[in-house]
Each structure stands twice: as C-alpha cells, then as structure tokens.
Amino acid sequence: MTAHSSRVLPRVPMPLPDNIAAPEQAGPVLARFEAVHKTYDERNWVVDNLDLNIHQGEFLSLLGPSGSGKTTTLMMLAGFDAPDRGRILMDGQDISKLPAYKRDMGVVFQSYALFPHMSVAENVAFPLNLRKVPATESRTRVTEALALARLEGFEDRNPGQLSGGQQQRVALARALVYRPRILLMDEPLGALDKALRGHMQLELKAIHKQLGITFVYVTHDQDEAMTMSDRVAVFNEGKIAQIDRPETIYNRPSTRFVANFLGETNVLEGTLVGLNGTHAQILLTEDGSIHEAPCADREMVVGHPAALAIRPENLRMALPGEAAVQACVVDSIFHGAHCKLRLRMAKGCELSMTYNPGSLGRASPQPGESVSLALPCAQAMILR
Ligand code: ADP
Ligand code: MG
C-alpha cells in the first residue's frame, strides 16, 4: 500500500533550530560557553566549538557515550581545565582564567574523594575552613548540609565506616555547604547499585527543587538524565547533537544518533522526496510507500538518503483505508504492563511495537500473522 504525500497533516511544534533552546520558565543565563574548543593531542577536538547557555536554577544534564567530551566540558566550567579556544562566561564576565576556587561552584565526582582520616563533619566543614568561615557559622552550615543530605547522626563516623551511598551523600553535603551558585556532578551515582541509584536520583531532584540553585549533571545513563533534568544536552564527539527538554529529546530526536542513544527506536530507510518547511516526505526503500513527518534538519537534500524514525510505542495498527506499511509478526511477548511485537517487513526491515494490553481493540496478533501498521506523522521524525 502506498501512502500519498498530499494528505492533510497535523502541524506539530518543532524543536528550535539552534542548540541553545531555552527551557520553559527559564531563569536568565547564568553561565555560557562561547565557541569553546579543547584538545589534548593537538589533533582532535574533544570539545568542538561548543556553544551552551546554562540558565539560572535549571537542572541541566550532559548526556552522551563515554569519550564524548562531557567530563572535559564540566571540568572547564569548574575551572580544573581551560579551553584552548573560545571562552566561558558567568554573569556575562569571562571566567576562562579564573581559578576553580573563585568560581562559586560545588563539584561531586563519581569517586567520592573524601578525606579518609577526617570525620564526616570535618569533611563537610572543609570548604568552610578553607574560606575561613567563623566556627559558629560553620557549625550551623554543616548541620544544615548534613540534614539536606540526610546524614544526621553520622557526624563522627569516618568515611570508611559508611556505605557507598552514604559516602556520596557526604560528598554532596561538602559540595553544597558553602552554598555554591552551581552544583556540578560527574556521574555521581555511577558506583551505586540500581535500586539505590533510583532512590538517589529522586532525592537529588528534590534537593534541586528545595535549593533552587543550578545543577549541571554528567551521565551516560539516559534514564537518569530523563528522570531528573529540566533540559538534556546530548553529546556526540565533542558537540551537542541536541539540547532540549527530556520529552522533546525523546520524542523529537533531531539526528539518528540521538534517536538511537535514547532507547529503542524503529528506523526505516529511504530517500527524501520532498521538503516543505517543517516537514519532509520520504520514500521508503522497503515498500516504496511515501510518508510525511516533521524534519528539523536544515541540511536535508531531496534525493539523498533519509530515514523515518518512530518509537515502538508510537507504532499502531492501521485503521481501514489508512496509510500503512505491512509487516509480519515474528514474536509476541507479554511484559505485564505492556506487550511487545517484533515484526518484519517484506524485505527484512525489523520493527518493534509496544502497546498496552486491552488498548488494541482486538486480540494480540500472533506470530506469522500479517498486520497493517500506521506510522503516525505527529510521532515520527525524518532524519538524515
Ligand atoms: P566523557 O566524560 O564524555 O566520557 P571525556 O571528556 O572524559 O569524555 O573525554 C573526551 C576525550 O578526551 C576522550 O577521548 C578522552 O580519552 C580524552 N581525554 C580526556 N581527558 C584527557 C586527558 N587528561 N588527557 C588526554 N586525553 C584526555
Ligand atoms: Mg566522563
């Protein structure tokens, strides 16, 4: 069956064109990367012409695979590393040459980096002692920070007597005790088990809300980034592939890399046959059908290869007469809260579809059965 490109299609909001899309209800810009470059070997940019605005009060995650430049970006913001080109601003002032201790930022690393010979309270008080905060004020602040990190009663223990999760809470209390304007975290939950990570993610989100300060959080874990963040910047090879709210990054990926990095996605290969502003038409290699979907990529060229990406939960059974693609059910799997179909199109393109049992309006398709699938325009994307 061939769908026609002349269908009347709903217009959906598109991602903003550049990578400095402001979050909704964003505060003013607090920190800013301007054309920042970093190389360690004089040959490859590990951070490659990075422009980034960090807004007052937001929870921004830097998400990407290992080696994509997240830590280097965070270290330049913290002042532990310097850009080779470009500059970093805070409140509009160039801080590229300002030493780390003058930047008013707290840092939490994956390795807790606690002082083993000091008690919990002494560890947390350390930044205040460095800043020569008077003893009475220091005690009050340490008590507050320990309460925030839920460490009351642990004041006199040594780090060696604490679990990994508790040690990371100490590191968090120590980073927050001098009330920095930005809290920087580099995979802080990386060493914890899954259940504890999930718990700590919710706590960090609550602490962010309570304090109202800016959080910049590095992770390679997409679920973690989606759970906590106001905005996610997806890093690939030293560049931001996309920056936006988690829902937009997930539902409206702007590149194949982003689509594939954030969970499972169906990718149908084809050729670009039309472009009209916010939308594009693709001719699928698999069955010659034509589909229209949003397209955010300004460099797409008619006649060039393209792909239609659609999440498994956005595929659905086609209504009679609706534009559809045909696929054969390979496997039907019951997962409790949802069911999953693995499907194959005639020339071998594999698809997966998830649905809620009961929402299908018919019995679950069985292996060997042929089904018609709609590719809803509003939930699909055309990518290069
Ligand atoms: P991520 O945090 O995303 O995993 P990094 O910023 O740590 O990425 O690293 C980006 C690239 O820079 C990687 O290829 C890494 O090997 C390299 N790199 C990072 N730090 C150094 C360093 N101090 N010296 C040399 N190369 C480095
Ligand atoms: Mg890293």
Side-chain angles (χ1 to χ4, degrees), residues 220-240:
H220 65 271
D221 180 331
Q222 49 136 337
D223 290 331
E224 187 160 289
M226 305 262 249
T227 305
M228 293 190 292
S229 319
D230 297 314
R231 283 196 309 163
V232 178
V234 184
F235 274 65
N236 183 25
E237 298 184 341
K239 293 184 196 311
I240 294 179

Side-chain angles (χ1 to χ4, degrees), residues 71-137:
T71 294
T72 304
T73 300
L74 201 75
M75 291 299 104
M76 289 192 288
L77 183 57
F80 297 131
D81 223 334
D84 292 308
R85 283 194 204 159
R87 42 181 214 158
I88 299 172
L89 311 174
M90 190 137 155
D91 297 319
Q93 303 291 312
D94 190 345
I95 57 163
S96 305
K97 299 210 164 59
L98 198 67
Y101 69 92
K102 289 190 176 166
R103 289 196 186 191
D104 213 0
M105 298 181 196
V107 189
V108 179
F109 301 99
Q110 179 175 340
S111 60
Y112 318 121
L114 301 176
F115 304 110
H117 56 283
M118 291 186 191
S119 70
V120 166
E122 287 165 346
N123 265 282
V124 175
F126 186 79
L128 301 177
N129 296 341
L130 271 189
R131 288 168 175 77
K132 307 223 172 345
V133 172
T136 30
E137 190 186 342

